[in-house]
């Protein structure tokens, strides 16, 4: 990639960071205010007036600035034209809506620029915590302007892992003894940010996560020395006709082989 393209991604990063902060301020104005709630996916997933308001803010800033880009958002009807675009905005106006509605602060606005299937700029903004994570494909991962990196704990240290209890039950007994399962964090994007800044050694993700949950956090984790992969160890491709994914693992690159081995062991046992 040329220096001109790299500079362009920094310009896009600046753009989406500003949009995420503005959308975060809008969402924060609804926090603890009991916004109106609807249910989607046959009543399994809540969406609130805050989600829609933040989504409108993102769209009103980003699309006029880059009209040639496609658009993929959890709260907008899917437009198949995105598949014809090399570059796409992938956004989740509030990742962790259940936590948001319950008054938990660990929710965030997630915005990514995806080019040819991979994120090249990504922002996570957690306004209730005053935390801004960002990265572009040629730079470091930053949290509130300070470079972050994944945990450097040794392979025999206690592994702080964010995952459902049932995902651990099939692991080898010896490995399970090294795992400290952390309290549930409703926002998947924020869990991946916790891996990126070293508060967790990993997170295991159930099937049916979506592009908008993952794209920005994927890049931030990558630039911090980690990876988000499927059970074959392959990095994810975004902006496909299907935007859902199977089981995934996010972890420091150095820890990934051990986690993938345990996931394979669980699957085969």
């Amino acid at each position: 990639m040329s220096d001109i393209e790299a500079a362009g991604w920094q310009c896009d990063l600046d753009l989406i960071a500003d949009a995420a902060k503005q959308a975060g301020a809008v969402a924060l104005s609804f926090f603890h205010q009991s916004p109106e709630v609807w249910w989607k996916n046959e009543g399994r997933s809540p969406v609130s007036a805050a989600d829609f308001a933040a989504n409108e803010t993102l769209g009103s800033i980003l699309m006029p600035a880059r009209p040639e880009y496609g658009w993929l958002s959890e709260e907008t009807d899917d437009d198949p034209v995105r598949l014809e675009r090399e570059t796409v905005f992938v956004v989740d106006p509030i990742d962790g809506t259940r936590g948001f509605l319950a008054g938990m602060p660990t929710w965030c606005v997630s915005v990514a620029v995806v080019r040819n299937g991979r994120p090249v700029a990504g922002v996570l903004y957690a306004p209730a915590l005053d935390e801004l994570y960002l990265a572009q494909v040629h730079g470091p991962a930053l949290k509130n302007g300070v470079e972050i990196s994944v945990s450097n704990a040794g392979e025999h240290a206690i592994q702080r892992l964010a995952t459902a209890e049932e995902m651990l039950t099939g692991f080898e007994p010896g490995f399970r003894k090294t795992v400290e399962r952390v309290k549930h964090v409703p926002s998947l994007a924020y869990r991946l940010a916790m891996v990126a800044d070293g508060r967790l050694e990993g997170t295991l993700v159930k099937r049916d996560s979506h592009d908008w949950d993952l794209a920005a956090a994927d890049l931030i984790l990558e630039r911090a020395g980690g990876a988000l992969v499927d059970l074959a160890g392959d990095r994810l491709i975004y902006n496909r006709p299907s935007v859902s994914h199977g089981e995934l693992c996010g972890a420091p690159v150095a820890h990934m082989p051990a986690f993938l081995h345990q996931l394979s062991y669980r699957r085969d046992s």
Side-chain angles (χ1 to χ4, degrees):
M1 189 176 291
S2 68
D3 291 342
I4 293 175
E5 286 179 302
W9 302 135
Q10 184 61 49
C11 290
D12 275 10
L13 182 61
D14 294 340
L15 171 67
I16 65 175
D18 178 65
K21 287 187 284 188
Q22 291 193 48
V26 169
L28 192 62
S29 71
F30 289 84
F31 193 44
H32 294 303
Q33 299 302 313
S34 301
E36 189 172 2
V37 176
W38 300 267
W39 291 85
K40 57 186 181 178
N41 299 328
E42 300 179 350
R44 296 192 302 271
S45 300
V47 59
S48 74
D51 295 83
F52 290 132
N55 190 67
E56 183 177 355
T57 299
L58 291 171
S60 70
I61 296 169
L62 297 176
M63 292 313 297
R66 302 287 190 273
E68 72 278 16
Y69 287 11
W71 176 263
L72 176 61
S73 168
E74 181 174 15
E75 309 307 348
T76 307
D77 289 339
D78 193 13
D79 183 355
V81 170
R82 66 179 172 80
L83 298 171
E84 302 170 7
R85 304 293 172 89
E86 287 187 340
T87 310
V88 182
F89 291 119
V90 179
V91 311
D92 191 343
I94 299 179
D95 188 74
T97 298
R98 287 182 185 274
F100 175 92
L101 294 173
M104 300 172 64
T106 48
W107 52 274
C108 60
V109 181
S110 175
V111 186
V113 177
V114 168
R115 183 171 177 83
N116 295 326
R118 287 293 300 166
V120 292
V123 171
L124 300 176
Y125 179 48
L129 297 169
D130 192 27
E131 294 177 357
L132 178 68
Y133 296 83
L134 49 81
Q136 60 108 334
V137 71
H138 287 303
L142 303 175
K143 177 182 179 181
N144 291 349
V146 178
E147 187 170 347
I148 56 175
S149 63
V150 296
S151 169
N152 61 0
E155 63 176 308
H156 299 298
I158 294 297
Q159 309 289 311
R160 297 162 296 179
L161 196 60
T163 186
E165 181 70 39
E166 61 266 26
M167 293 191 78
L168 294 178
T169 56
F171 286 3
E172 294 171 321
F175 185 84
R176 286 204 306 272
K177 292 179 181 179
T178 71
V179 171
E180 176 188 337
R181 193 174 77 87
V182 304
K183 185 177 179 180
H184 177 63
V185 178
S187 168
L188 172 52
Y190 193 79
R191 294 204 305 270
L192 290 165
M194 292 174 70
V195 180
D197 69 15
R199 284 180 285 168
L200 298 174
E201 275 71 54
T203 184
L204 307 179
V205 183
K206 291 182 177 180
R207 62 175 55 254
D208 293 328
S209 59
H210 296 84
D211 282 12
W212 47 75
D213 305 311
L214 303 168
D218 184 341
L219 180 64
I220 291 165
L221 178 56
E222 178 184 300
R223 300 310 300 170
L228 177 65
V229 301
D230 63 20
L231 298 194
D234 296 326
R235 295 182 187 257
L236 308 187
I237 301 299
Y238 299 100
N239 194 35
R240 303 171 305 166
S242 172
V243 298
S244 63
H245 299 269
E247 290 187 347
L248 306 172
C249 180
V253 170
H255 291 223
M256 190 64 74
F259 285 131
L260 290 178
H261 170 74
Q262 293 301 319
L263 288 166
S264 177
Y265 178 87
R266 176 180 62 86
R267 190 171 65 246
D268 295 337
S269 61

